[in-house]
Amino acid sequence: MSDMMSKISEGLERAFASQGFAEPSVEDLRDAAGVSLRTLYKYTPSRAEMVLAALENRHQRYLVRVFDDLPEDPSEALDTILTRVGDWMATESSHGCLFHAAVAAEPGSQPLRALLEHHKAEVAAKAAAATKLKGADIALLLIIEGLTQAWPLHSEAALDAAKRLGLSLLSPDR
């Protein structure tokens, strides 16, 4: 991704995360990206492309923040992953998942649905690999998604519950 596209994607992500997908005008999105309208449309020729660019940026940031430099021990890795998801929710996304919000805003969009599916599959696969829980991708995703959705109502209590559920997956008699 070019430096200009990164700049635009970062600004668009911030705008959609703070204002939702319906509210920001093209001028708001241009201002958030810090470029001219001509440059914005050169790199993202439609609002749909703007949303996809923002979500792709978010996908990459999330993966780095949650999965980079994890401990080798599966139990410690799981604790770290869930702690980082809680930190993400506290600082980046206190209202829930931006990918789900995008699909809810435009439910008929196949590109949005495909990006949502790709994001969630990669999160699940990375969590399973880091915790050495082969075949537990969906269970781990369910815990992470549950934490993400419960965070706005329960914050730290949701994190504690997610960690308890995660530890149950690591027990030998699961």
Side-chain angles (χ1 to χ4, degrees):
M1 186 182 296
S2 73
D3 289 344
M4 181 59 71
M5 188 61 192
S6 293
K7 175 185 176 180
I8 291 170
S9 297
E10 289 167 12
L12 292 172
E13 180 195 344
R14 280 191 307 276
F16 289 128
S18 66
Q19 299 177 44
F21 292 98
E23 185 176 323
S25 67
V26 173
E27 290 76 17
D28 293 334
L29 296 172
R30 175 206 59 209
D31 292 347
V35 296
S36 69
L37 197 55
R38 181 182 183 129
T39 301
L40 178 63
Y41 276 117
K42 175 182 175 185
Y43 285 88
T44 54
S46 67
R47 189 177 188 93
E49 290 293 324
M50 293 175 198
V51 171
L52 290 171
L55 291 175
E56 184 58 43
N57 189 73
R58 191 165 190 92
H59 171 70
Q60 295 304 323
R61 282 191 334 102
Y62 183 86
L63 294 179
V64 167
R65 181 131 166 221
V66 173
F67 295 105
D68 273 13
D69 300 318
L70 290 170
E72 288 294 318
D73 177 72
S75 179
E76 290 177 32
L78 180 60
D79 186 78
T80 301
I81 290 166
L82 294 174
T83 297
R84 289 176 181 177
V85 171
D87 291 344
W88 175 271
M89 295 304 298
T91 61
E92 301 276 344
S93 189
S94 63
H95 302 294
C97 177
L98 196 62
F99 292 86
H100 283 293
V103 171
E106 195 172 336
S109 170
Q110 284 308 112
L112 281 178
R113 183 161 297 282
L115 187 55
L116 169 68
E117 290 172 6
H118 170 74
H119 173 69
K120 298 306 178 180
E122 193 164 351
V123 166
K126 285 185 170 289
T131 58
K132 298 174 181 51
L133 287 169
K134 186 177 179 180
D137 301 36
I138 294 173
L140 287 163
L141 183 62
L142 185 63
I143 291 168
I144 292 168
E145 287 293 292
L147 171 56
T148 301
Q149 295 306 315
W151 183 268
L153 297 174
H154 303 289
S155 57
E156 294 298 324
L159 177 58
D160 292 340
K163 287 181 177 184
R164 283 192 308 276
L165 287 169
L167 286 175
S168 71
L169 291 177
L170 292 169
S171 68
D173 60 341
R174 69 174 184 104

